[in-house]
Amino acid sequence: MMFEAKHEMIKKLAREFAENEIAPVAIDADATGEYPKELWEKVARYGFTGITIPKEYGGMGGDYKSLVLAMEEFAAKDVSAGSFLMSNSLSGAPYLYFGNEEQKQKYLKPLAQGKTIASFGLTEPGAGCDSGSVSTTAEEDGDYYILNGRKTFITMAPLCDYAVIFAKTDMKAGTRGITAFIVESKWDGFSTGKPESKMGIHASVTSDIILENVRVPKENILGQIGKGFNIAMSILDAGRVTVAAQSLGAAKGALDCAVEYSKERVQFGRAISKFQNTQFTLADMATKVEAARQLVYSAADKLDNHQKVTTEAAMAKYYASETAVEVANKSLQIHGGYGYMKEYAIERIYRDARILPIYEGTSEIQKLVISRNVLAD
């Protein structure tokens, strides 16, 4: 796939930033569960917080190809850093595509500039892959809606300034009864649970969002009443492409670790990269990483050309995320016992990669989406 000079420039910028700013602090961030505030301030100054957001709203004015290139480079050094870009992209898109002008100025612009943090509140304890079964309620009360419910596994929730919350305004209408609301974290009744103690992506903080009689003014309805499910589904296509790029980055990082280590590790008098078994394993890893890359880039290109991308997004997310897990596993095996030690990056990549086939729609959900479209032909 052909890229323009602007794409090569952002890829180079993202790679240098990831190598110079992210990689040196990734081990400490994994241990402490957070990145230094100064790092995220640098991320904002470089424009990475608003890659796909138009310049008039404080963003870079880039396209999805720019976003996936930056994501690939960030996640290659630390999947958690990629989660931050993913969260901003997923959280910013509802305001960009469905918000009115006042909402864009109030919520999208500071988000793009890195002045605020936003979350995307769809998943619930009883509504994961089945997004249509959300039980959070929104009852009309004059000029307000009263929200009650609980969202779970919400990225950046403990730090967010506001969140898009999907709630039922009509309990009898199924998916047609879901509405999206912009809810500010400072409002009475909005709270977050204890940050989750996760297997991986430690520096990407995650928790529940708890809503107890939160009064949301009607001016904070995003889009139209009853159209929340449509908003969520349209955003998830782009979100899946973004997670696919994050997965690609994880796979690339794991492959890079394996190549470097195999050249340095000496056994039986020579580097293990000289053994045919290692060479064949690396060849298999590299081929799958490149196949994932082409799927991700193609899906991003279709997004940029405003083409329907549901099937391609599912394919990219499914294949790239499964590839990330497989390549990380093989890379750790090449490292042998050292790969199990925290001082080696592959130990962190191995743990981080495991979430990729799960969030933003499990691999099973992606296969369901793909098969439905195949059978519909």
Side-chain angles (χ1 to χ4, degrees), residues 28-190:
D28 287 342
D30 179 67
T32 63
E34 62 181 354
Y35 271 103
K37 182 181 178 181
E38 297 76 24
L39 177 65
W40 297 130
E41 290 173 349
K42 289 181 181 178
V43 170
R45 285 203 302 271
Y46 274 72
F48 292 122
T49 51
I51 293 175
T52 59
I53 297 173
K55 293 180 180 179
E56 59 263 36
Y57 298 116
M60 187 183 289
D63 52 18
Y64 277 98
K65 288 193 287 291
S66 299
L67 176 61
V68 299
L69 289 170
M71 173 66 80
E72 180 183 351
E73 297 300 333
F74 271 46
K77 295 304 180 185
D78 187 26
V79 180
S80 287
S83 288
F84 182 82
L85 288 189
M86 183 195 72
S87 177
N88 248 45
S89 172
L90 188 62
S91 298
Y95 307 100
L96 177 61
Y97 297 118
F98 299 98
N100 56 40
E101 186 60 27
E102 182 180 348
Q103 291 168 344
K104 289 177 181 177
Q105 292 292 339
K106 185 175 181 179
Y107 297 111
L108 179 62
K109 195 168 185 177
L111 177 65
Q113 295 170 332
K115 296 178 180 178
T116 58
I117 294 173
S119 289
F120 187 81
L122 178 61
T123 302
E124 295 184 1
C129 294
D130 183 10
S131 302
S133 64
V134 298
S135 60
T136 296
T137 60
E139 296 184 8
E140 190 173 8
D141 181 25
D143 293 330
Y144 293 84
Y145 273 87
I146 311 300
L147 269 62
N148 282 281
R150 190 183 194 100
K151 300 296 180 177
T152 195
F153 302 147
I154 307 303
T155 302
M156 306 303 285
L159 304 177
C160 77
D161 297 286
Y162 37 86
V164 173
I165 298 293
F166 295 87
K168 286 280 182 71
T169 44
D170 186 342
M171 297 301 292
K172 299 179 181 179
T175 57
R176 293 184 178 88
I178 299 174
T179 301
F181 297 87
I182 304 169
V183 184
E184 297 185 20
S185 61
K186 65 185 178 184
W187 289 345
D188 290 342
F190 185 107

